[in-house]
């Protein structure tokens, strides 16, 4: 492929298409890495900051690929995530204590992913 310095006018559209395909591929690879790296950080932090009674809940955090997304979830104690994060009504009518541990990690992951996306685009643009 040409670097664009000396391109025949008849080959211009092919050269532009090749450059755009290369740029798109570079962006896609960078976004996949950003998704995976961000999810790995989220899993690590959730494992460290989750409430610990037996430890099963904290060890249950994992990531999985769903279509084009990477999802962080608790694969073993998934029923507890909402109850621990938001609290719940006990049998005697009182409320349990909230253990807010997912929301701060989510916010951190969003910020981290946005920064990674910006870096991928900056790096692709040279």
């Amino acid at each position: 492929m040409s670097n664009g310095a000396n391109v025949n006018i008849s080959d211009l559209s092919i050269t532009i298409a090749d450059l755009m395909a290369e740029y798109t591929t570079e962006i896609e690879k960078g976004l996949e890495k950003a998704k995976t790296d961000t999810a790995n950080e989220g899993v690590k932090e959730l494992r460290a900051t989750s409430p610990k009674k037996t430890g099963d809940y904290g060890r249950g955090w994992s990531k999985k690929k769903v279509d084009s997304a990477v999802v962080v979830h608790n694969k073993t104690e998934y029923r507890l995530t909402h109850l621990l994060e938001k609290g719940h009504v006990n049998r005697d009518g009182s409320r349990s204590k909230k253990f807010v541990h997912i929301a701060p990690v989510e916010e951190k992951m969003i910020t981290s992913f946005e920064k990674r996306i910006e870096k991928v685009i900056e790096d692709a643009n040279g």
Side-chain angles (χ1 to χ4, degrees), residues 25-49:
T25 302
E26 188 176 335
I27 294 286
E28 286 173 351
K29 285 180 182 177
L31 291 179
E32 284 302 313
K33 182 169 177 12
K35 284 188 250 182
T36 302
D37 290 350
T38 304
N40 286 336
E41 281 180 8
V43 167
K44 184 177 179 180
E45 186 153 346
L46 281 167
R47 285 182 177 174
T49 61

Side-chain angles (χ1 to χ4, degrees), residues 5 20 28 30 34 45-46 51 62 69 76 83 86 94 103 119 123:
M20 289 303 295
E28 286 173 351
E45 186 153 346
L46 281 167
S62 181
T76 57
L83 298 174
K86 305 291 184 183
S94 64
K119 180 152 177 34
D123 290 349

